[in-house]
Amino acid sequence: MSMAVIGMIAGMALGFAGYFGGFAAFLLVAALGAIGFVLGRFVDGDLELGELFRTRADRRDRRR
């Protein structure tokens, strides 16, 4: 599935949540979607937990 289709589905889900549940439901769906995205990247092996908590100086030193 292409990223455009996934983005469209996510946008439609947020739109439905906002329309039927109000702004609080919109925020809840957006937050859960972001958490699901990060967990999915972690499970796929594209993301390490250390990357989320590393400081900017640590990232700069690691590139050298």
Side-chain angles (χ1 to χ4, degrees):
M1 191 178 307
S2 73
M3 292 303 288
V5 172
I6 292 171
M8 180 187 68
I9 292 169
M12 289 174 63
L14 288 172
F16 279 119
Y19 183 76
F20 291 110
F23 189 67
F26 172 82
L27 290 178
L28 178 66
V29 170
L32 291 175
I35 291 169
F37 174 75
V38 170
L39 288 176
R41 296 280 309 258
F42 178 71
V43 169
D44 283 344
D46 295 337
L47 182 68
E48 295 180 19
L49 283 180
E51 292 177 10
L52 296 176
F53 302 110
R54 193 171 298 135
T55 64
R56 186 175 300 188
D58 290 341
R59 282 181 260 168
R60 190 173 30 240
D61 291 339
R62 189 173 181 159
R63 287 186 204 154
R64 293 180 186 169

